[in-house]
Amino acid sequence: MKQNEERQAIRDFIQDHATLYEFSDDDNIFKLGFVNSMFAMQLVAFVEDAFGIAVEDDDLELDNFNSVAALDRFVSRKRGRPVADPSAP
Amino acid sequence: MKRRAGLFPLDLTDEQSALERSFEEFVERDVLPISDLIEREDAMPPAIMQRMAELGYWGAAAPAALGGMGLDSLSFGLLGRALGRANASILSLLVVHSMVCAALARWGSKEQQARWLPKLASGELRASLALTEPQGGSDAGNLQLKIEKAADRYRIHGVKTWISGAQQSDIAIVVGACEEKPTAFIVDLRASGVSRRPIQSLLGFRGAMLAELEFDGYEAAAEDMVGRSGFGFSIVAGYALDLGRLLVSWGGAGLAEACLKLSLERVKQRRSFGVPLAEHPLIQGMLAEMIADVTTSLLVSYHAALARDRKGAAADETAMSKYVTSTAARRVSDNALQIFGALGCAAESPIQRYWRDAKIMEIIEGTTQIQQILIGRHASRYY
């Protein structure tokens, strides 16, 4: 799967669970209440199943899971791809 | 006698079928003969706990590499089904212990796994999951139990209640608010700073050895944290509850099956107005409801188990399964009690125990209403 396809797959999965909401790739889906905290477990299962990566204890940081963009960066890192600093101008 | 497998027999591998037979032999030989005793004593005989250790069942959710059985979800479900038929209290103790094993196997550090899982798998130690608080059952994320960080130690203050197995469990995964973030710790319940108050004479699950746990400055080490700060509820407890819902689902299916089979025998034997009950249309109507409920319970539990093994965790599927089977178990046990009448209400009848235990199944591992919220919120995903 190409990277833009990965991002779309992530977006589709979240949208599937937050059907009543529209959100940007950078919106914090937990803070905005689109999903509850238990959804984090489903996100873990999804990225492992969809992208063949293993989420480990050290990966459990909210910053890895709280938006489409954050998940995309996380998956890229796990796959060994360079990731742009989101805070860079 | 030919074993009847229902209208839609489950598709099992040879290994799963062999395990299923062994589970059935276990409950026939070791559990059913003591079910009444468990109810009367409001306690679990140590001998059955030991027997389960001998058979390796305490390690059902632990990896084989660490001494467990490493059962797949469907095989584990078959054990749940057998226990649901025989004694829901034993099922409950196995469920809570296994939830802890599963959470540690998935999210525990290598050191935690090496330290705890072999002993949990062998049954040398038993575990509980301490999530519910006096002010929060369904609102489990609203944690009042506080975990204060002090240098490299953590002090726990607060109360957990309705904790299955906690009268005798050796360790627990406790979820509390640490710097306002839900965080899970392994706690040694035998250590100072923890006290237990047994909870007895419940409506159902009378042998499940529930207790209230009070933590008064219990000291935990940093390496006792399971997973990371902030993920104690969503990831650690969430993963554990995924297994818990699945096993309660299978247990409910087993309980419902037991009610159906006893009712089928009853309606053949008992005569009323000159004919067997089985020939009365209103009884046939009740049997039809029961058969439909048992059938759907088994099918939804089966598919939830397959989904969990395919995906690692299957929150949507296990929520659906638990909702369907626990509400079905209540209806089936209700119909069974109606069929048996006064006889079903007698203390020595298993029907009244099934009826009481079925009601408890609608409350544990997420109430019916919580499952409805989980399912309803995502309804447009399915249709």
Side-chain angles (χ1 to χ4, degrees):
Chain A
M1 202 186 288
K2 296 178 184 166
Q3 187 165 359
N4 55 348
E5 291 174 342
E6 289 177 355
R7 180 173 277 225
Q8 188 60 48
I10 292 167
R11 163 165 275 284
D12 288 346
F13 180 77
I14 295 174
Q15 187 73 77
D16 220 19
H17 285 81
T19 52
L20 300 177
Y21 304 101
E22 294 182 8
F23 50 93
S24 74
D25 285 0
D26 294 308
D27 280 335
N28 188 318
I29 57 175
F30 294 104
K31 272 193 183 159
L32 291 172
F34 299 157
V35 291
N36 64 20
S37 62
M38 296 295 275
F39 184 60
M41 185 191 69
Q42 291 172 274
L43 278 175
V44 167
F46 163 70
V47 296
E48 290 189 327
D49 188 41
F51 305 119
I53 61 174
V55 176
E56 295 168 14
D57 189 39
D58 289 347
D59 298 323
L60 293 182
E61 298 285 346
L62 275 174
D63 286 345
N64 285 336
F65 294 95
N66 59 15
S67 70
V68 174
L71 274 158
D72 189 30
R73 287 191 295 272
F74 172 64
V75 170
S76 291
R77 274 200 305 278
K78 293 293 282 188
R79 287 190 153 188
R81 290 198 296 259
V83 177
D85 181 352
S87 61
Chain B
M1 183 188 295
K2 182 181 174 184
R3 187 169 182 273
R4 295 191 170 89
L7 192 55
F8 300 102
L10 305 179
D11 189 13
L12 305 177
T13 64
D14 290 342
E15 185 183 351
Q16 288 166 341
S17 294
L19 281 169
E20 183 185 41
R21 283 191 295 275
S22 71
F23 299 149
E24 292 293 332
E25 285 165 8
F26 161 65
V27 303
E28 285 289 336
R29 182 185 57 236
D30 297 315
V31 181
L32 282 166
I34 63 167
S35 273
D36 286 345
L37 176 69
I38 293 168
E39 289 293 294
R40 285 199 306 273
E41 304 274 303
D42 209 340
M44 191 59 63
I48 192 63
M49 312 290 262
Q50 178 56 34
R51 181 64 181 139
M52 288 174 64
E54 290 165 5
L55 292 169
Y57 292 166
W58 295 115
L66 290 170
M69 293 179 83
L71 289 181
D72 61 271
S73 296
L74 180 50
S75 298
F76 205 167
L78 296 170
L79 177 55
R81 177 189 184 185
L83 287 173
R85 172 169 83 86
N87 190 278
S89 296
I90 298 178
L91 170 70
S92 174
L93 293 174
L94 182 63
V95 168
V96 299
H97 178 92
S98 301
M99 287 199 289
V100 170
C101 290
L104 285 176
R106 180 63 181 86
W107 296 111
S109 65
K110 291 284 183 282
E111 292 73 25
Q112 289 170 344
Q113 291 175 4
R115 180 179 177 191
W116 297 112
L117 281 174
K119 292 182 180 177
L120 291 172
S122 70
E124 180 184 341
L125 297 179
R126 290 204 304 277
S128 290
L129 179 68
L131 186 60
T132 302
E133 298 182 352
Q135 306 92 327
S138 291
D139 190 12
N142 179 22
L143 297 163
Q144 301 301 306
L145 181 135
K146 301 294 180 229
I147 304 175
E148 298 165 354
K149 191 172 181 203
D152 62 344
R153 307 287 293 180
Y154 294 82
R155 288 203 185 86
I156 302 178
H157 297 271
V159 178
K160 294 291 186 185
T161 191
W162 311 111
I163 307 304
S164 298
Q167 287 180 28
Q168 293 185 359
S169 289
D170 301 289
I171 70 166
I173 287 182
V174 178
V175 183
C178 183
E179 298 176 323
E180 298 183 8
K181 291 185 271 187
T183 306
F185 277 81
I186 302 173
V187 168
D188 187 340
L189 298 178
R190 304 160 296 179
S192 63
V194 188
S195 57
R196 321 180 197 221
R197 181 182 70 80
I199 299 172
Q200 292 173 308
S201 302
L202 288 172
L203 172 70
F205 280 53
R206 286 187 175 161
M209 297 196 290
L210 274 71
E212 184 171 277
L213 298 172
E214 183 168 355
F215 300 88
D216 187 13
Y218 174 92
E219 270 204 22
E223 54 264 29
D224 294 331
M225 186 186 295
V226 184
R228 289 296 192 88
S229 174
F231 286 89
F233 180 61
S234 58
I235 295 288
V236 179
Y239 189 78
L241 288 168
D242 193 53
L243 176 64
R245 285 191 294 268
L246 182 73
L247 293 177
V248 172
S249 175
W250 277 98
L255 185 153
E257 249 186 328
C259 288
L260 171 62
K261 289 181 179 178
L262 289 170
S263 297
L264 287 170
E265 288 171 16
R266 178 68 176 166
V267 301
K268 286 181 204 165
Q269 297 160 359
R270 180 74 169 175
R271 297 177 72 85
S272 184
F273 299 100
V275 297
L277 287 182
E279 293 188 21
H280 288 269
L282 292 179
I283 295 293
Q284 291 166 359
M286 293 164 78
L287 292 176
E289 288 176 351
M290 295 165 83
I291 292 169
D293 269 334
V294 168
T295 302
T296 51
S297 293
L298 287 169
L299 287 172
V300 73
S301 300
Y302 175 79
H303 286 287
L306 296 183
R308 187 169 181 272
D309 281 341
R310 193 172 61 246
K311 300 195 288 184
D316 290 339
E317 291 86 345
T318 57
M320 176 76 76
S321 183
K322 201 268 179 178
Y323 170 63
V324 167
T325 59
S326 57
T327 52
R330 173 178 43 79
R331 288 191 298 270
V332 173
S333 62
D334 209 55
N335 273 333
L337 189 54
Q338 200 68 15
I339 286 171
F340 274 80
L343 185 63
C345 299
E348 57 271 19
S349 168
I351 299 296
Q352 50 85 18
R353 170 166 55 82
Y354 289 138
W355 188 78
R356 290 185 285 103
D357 285 346
K359 189 60 203 172
I360 300 296
M361 285 181 174
E362 277 208 84
I363 296 171
I364 58 173
E365 314 316 335
T367 63
T368 291
Q369 288 69 32
I370 287 296
Q371 309 306 336
Q372 286 175 322
I373 288 171
L374 292 172
I375 296 164
R377 184 176 287 162
H378 300 148
S380 57
R381 290 189 65 216
Y382 313 125
Y383 295 99

